[in-house]
Amino acid sequence: PSGYALGSARVSVDAAEATARPSGMVRVELAVDVLEDDWVLVPVLPPTTPVESAAIDGRAVQLVATPSGLAWITRSAGSFRMSLAYRVDATPSGAGCSLPVPLPQAASINLDAKLPGHRLLADR
């Protein structure tokens, strides 16, 4: 059995159109349950995700780089709210760009994206 459980995540992406290189700011709110009072490594994001800030219940924390990705290490059982912020660069794709967004391994994800441009959705 695992020493942690990841609940739901709320992910917001705000993409800015820039002349040099489009990018997006990603903010994540993630529910984390630590199930035991022992050292637990909680995987959070894929490797090489450029995290600008990480906090647990409003308090800044450091993430640990592991071969499988970035993780939070703790030894206190309880329910926590993790906040993450990171920026991703857009990749040219055809006539536009694609924005690859690394996501946490949450049980469910609610995604809200603000994308620049017009006519992004088909007319109904």
Side-chain angles (χ1 to χ4, degrees), residues 69-101:
L70 298 175
W72 173 52
I73 189 167
T74 185
R75 66 176 185 177
S76 299
S79 294
F80 304 94
R81 196 79 180 148
M82 177 175 276
S83 301
L84 302 164
Y86 48 98
R87 184 169 298 284
V88 292
D89 289 330
T91 304
S93 172
C97 294
S98 63
L99 191 66
V101 178

Side-chain angles (χ1 to χ4, degrees), residues 4-100:
Y4 68 91
L6 297 180
S8 61
R10 180 172 298 276
V11 179
S12 66
V13 179
D14 191 0
E17 193 168 26
T19 55
R21 184 165 187 171
S23 65
M25 187 67 194
V26 182
R27 298 191 188 284
V28 175
E29 293 291 325
L30 174 64
V32 179
D33 288 332
V34 177
L35 307 174
E36 52 192 62
D37 282 318
D38 197 1
W39 287 110
V40 176
L41 191 65
V42 180
V44 179
L45 289 167
T48 71
T49 303
V51 174
E52 291 183 9
S53 67
I56 295 291
D57 295 332
R59 194 186 82 225
V61 295
Q62 299 296 319
L63 299 179
V64 177
T66 72
S68 59
L70 298 175
W72 173 52
I73 189 167
T74 185
R75 66 176 185 177
S76 299
S79 294
F80 304 94
R81 196 79 180 148
M82 177 175 276
S83 301
L84 302 164
Y86 48 98
R87 184 169 298 284
V88 292
D89 289 330
T91 304
S93 172
C97 294
S98 63
L99 191 66

